[in-house]
Amino acid sequence: MRAKLKIGKLVVIGVGLIGGSFALALKQAKAVGQVVGVGRGRKNLAAALKMRIIDEATTDATRAVHDADVVLLGTPVGQMPEVMAKIAPHLPSNAVITDGGSTKADVITHARRFLSEHYARFVPAHPVAGAEKSGAAAARADLYRDKTVILTPQPETGAPALRLVRAAWQRCGARVLQLDA
């Protein structure tokens, strides 16, 4: 059974295989209104726009998140601390933040440090899916279908944020499990 969900504005920071596939799956499920893609490379962002993965492209993460409902960090794990520190002062008080990183303990440590008052709305996630290709051109709406996504909420994680992130991954077609980091 697919969870009911409607996200007004999704911001994907790192529109590659993981982030792009998340956006495409939610668009296909009609579970998102607007998708803004944030990246460093204009060529990749242009490809994401052309493929209709995103509706708007920017290199300015701080501007992109100012009215976001959900933010997915789809960057490599090593880039997440810098991204978290940069966006935290600009996140709205209701924004839910999640990630698609392949490791969790270090991401959680960085989130606790850099997201400060937003930390209760951070839901760490690890999609157990992938491919040998990267970038927006590798994104597929069915990447998560019948795949496992592991959520690793912390004691501080708010129940509404956890429900929203669980529902988002389920709308992507994933089986969602909850484990310790």
Side-chain angles (χ1 to χ4, degrees):
M1 181 178 132
R2 301 236 176 176
K4 290 184 181 179
L5 176 73
K6 185 63 175 185
I7 297 168
K9 180 180 177 183
L10 168 66
V11 175
V12 177
I13 301 176
V15 188
L17 174 69
I18 299 299
S21 296
F22 183 76
L24 276 175
L26 290 176
K27 281 183 148 205
Q28 188 174 74
K30 298 186 180 359
V32 65
Q34 177 191 22
V35 179
V36 177
V38 180
R40 296 183 301 175
R42 295 219 180 258
K43 184 177 178 183
N44 189 64
L45 288 172
L49 279 167
K50 185 176 181 181
M51 294 174 63
R52 299 179 190 228
I53 296 170
I54 59 175
D55 305 307
E56 181 183 327
T58 184
T59 57
D60 186 348
T62 60
R63 188 180 338 223
V65 302
H66 87 275
D67 59 349
D69 296 304
V70 175
V71 176
L72 173 75
L73 302 176
T75 64
V77 171
Q79 294 175 14
M80 288 186 190
E82 180 184 342
V83 171
M84 290 174 184
K86 185 183 246 184
I87 67 172
H90 305 279
L91 288 166
S93 61
N94 64 323
V96 172
I97 308 100
T98 190
D99 77 300
S102 57
T103 62
K104 293 284 64 93
D106 53 346
V107 172
I108 291 165
T109 297
H110 297 311
R112 185 175 274 122
R113 177 177 176 199
F114 294 112
L115 294 179
S116 57
E117 73 267 14
H118 305 287
Y119 183 68
R121 292 184 318 283
F122 176 65
V123 183
H126 173 46
V128 186
E132 66 282 353
K133 297 181 181 179
S134 62
R140 300 184 353 233
D142 67 347
L143 181 68
Y144 304 115
R145 191 169 301 135
D146 299 321
K147 300 292 191 292
T148 300
V149 172
I150 301 167
L151 303 183
T152 59
Q154 299 303 289
E156 302 90 337
T157 303
L162 179 57
R163 280 192 302 272
L164 188 151
V165 171
R166 177 182 300 278
W169 286 110
Q170 287 172 336
R171 290 298 299 237
C172 290
R175 295 183 306 266
V176 179
L177 300 179
Q178 192 169 311
L179 298 173
D180 290 336

